[in-house]
Amino acid sequence: MKKNYTLTKNPFFRTCKNYSRIFCNKWFMFLLLFAFVIGCKKTTEETGIIGLCPVVASTDPMDKAVDVVLNKVISATFNTEMDASTINSSTFTIKQVSTSTILSGKIAATANPAIFTFTPDVTMLPFTKYIGTVTMGATNKFRTTMVADYVFSFTTIPQITVSASPIAGGTVSGAGVFAQGSKVTVSAIPATGYTFTNWTDSGTVNIASTSPNYQYTIAGNRALVANFTAVIAGNFAVNLSSNPAAGGTTIGAGSYNAGSTIAISALPNAGYSFVNWTENGIAVSTSSSFQITALATNRTLVANFSSVASSQYAVVLSSSPSLGGTTSGSGAFNAGVSVTVVAAQNVGYTFTNWTDLTTGTIASTSASYTFVLSSNRN
């Protein structure tokens, strides 16, 4: 025969009057668990104060942050005051994902008892993913624990290093840490008796650029080497550079015999237009591609560029081949104006046509070509 039980005078338990003891006990335990999960409150035996279940409200850096500086002091902010003795190297850790190496550091309380910091003992590695964990061992001042570990991740900022080969060959600049996707320019200046050869990625022979001023978009860490070549006895150096360094690239530097004819070219980067070539501060050509002669002395030329205003369009000109001739008419212009570009052939060449490098189509077969500017033209 089924018996009825009265467990307590509480209204809830009176609902169990017509059910078995096992059913009532299971239902009671379920409600207790549900109340704990959604409310997560605890009354201490000593004070009778109800404590809120602690959780990590936020971290700095935030979860999935990128471009985090390498010396970042990491912090965790809780929703309640915490017991500082429980926030330690066992309950608050930072780990390098690729190697599972725990990052050593000092954990400290702050003036706010809900905020704790982790200061790494060593600088973090560039462009590396780390995972931070705050475990359930962390409790608030009422000794209430978290219901689950809190995990967050972040990736540090990429780093660019530059070096010269050989070391005596010249000087390099542009190293540092840069946000992912940003543009950076590295520069190489040859020492006396050397010419710049190219940029390569460290440990490889892959040529990244043949311009001493090399601009590219950051996509992770990179170690670049500027390679220099000693000038052969009896030859003379032609050295090129860009002003500003981010303005564009140059082609034609090297070691040449006296009397050699050399074609040098300048190509502006996005957002810049070519102005002129100068030597010892004196303008020598307004054509981005032109010929020079290797005299019985070293020569140093500078390709000058100017930034294009946001309300303007750039006209970029170049010669193919570089020895074929010179051009004029490049620069920055307002939308809607008529622009005329002119090509002048060198001895031994004839003009063929103007081509639009964006579309790959012939723009004109006339050496003097006039058009209305409605976009950037190359």
Side-chain angles (χ1 to χ4, degrees), residues 56 58-61 72-77 92 115-118 152:
V56 177
S58 64
T59 59
D60 183 16
K72 176 69 176 178
V73 175
I74 302 159
S75 66
T77 300
F92 189 2
I115 301 177
F116 293 80
T117 60
F118 179 101
F152 64 102

Side-chain angles (χ1 to χ4, degrees), residues 131-345:
I131 286 183
T133 304
V134 180
T135 72
M136 294 173 60
T139 67
N140 65 11
K141 64 180 182 179
F142 303 120
R143 299 199 300 276
T144 308
T145 63
M146 301 195 302
V147 296
D149 293 349
Y150 182 85
V151 179
F152 64 102
S153 66
F154 60 88
T155 303
T156 51
I157 193 168
Q159 184 176 57
I160 306 305
T161 61
V162 292
S163 60
S165 177
I167 296 176
T171 58
V172 291
S173 61
V177 291
F178 304 91
Q180 186 79 337
S182 63
K183 289 188 180 298
V184 64
T185 301
V186 293
S187 299
I189 301 175
T192 301
Y194 288 87
T195 59
F196 172 80
T197 305
N198 55 37
W199 286 99
T200 56
D201 284 288
S202 181
T204 74
V205 294
N206 298 326
I207 296 175
S209 176
T210 56
S211 174
N213 300 100
Y214 170 40
Q215 184 184 81
Y216 66 97
T217 301
I218 297 294
N221 297 329
R222 202 168 182 189
L224 291 166
V225 179
N227 299 288
F228 299 93
T229 303
V231 177
I232 300 173
N235 283 9
F236 298 93
V238 173
N239 292 318
L240 308 176
S241 63
S242 301
N243 177 41
T249 58
T250 57
I251 301 171
S255 175
Y256 299 93
N257 294 321
S260 299
T261 299
I262 306 113
I264 62 174
S265 299
L267 181 64
N269 289 325
Y272 288 87
S273 62
F274 174 78
V275 178
N276 60 18
W277 287 97
T278 55
E279 186 172 17
N280 298 320
I282 300 172
V284 293
S285 178
T286 57
S287 175
S288 59
S289 300
F290 84 111
Q291 293 178 341
I292 64 170
T293 301
L295 304 175
T297 182
N298 296 327
R299 299 192 66 177
T300 299
L301 293 98
V302 179
N304 298 287
F305 302 91
S306 63
S307 58
V308 178
S310 59
S311 60
Q312 294 182 315
Y313 293 117
V315 175
V316 177
L317 307 178
S318 59
S319 300
S320 177
S322 298
L323 285 171
T326 59
T327 59
S328 60
S330 65
F333 304 91
N334 293 326
V337 302
S338 291
V339 177
T340 299
V341 294
V342 178
Q345 62 203 30

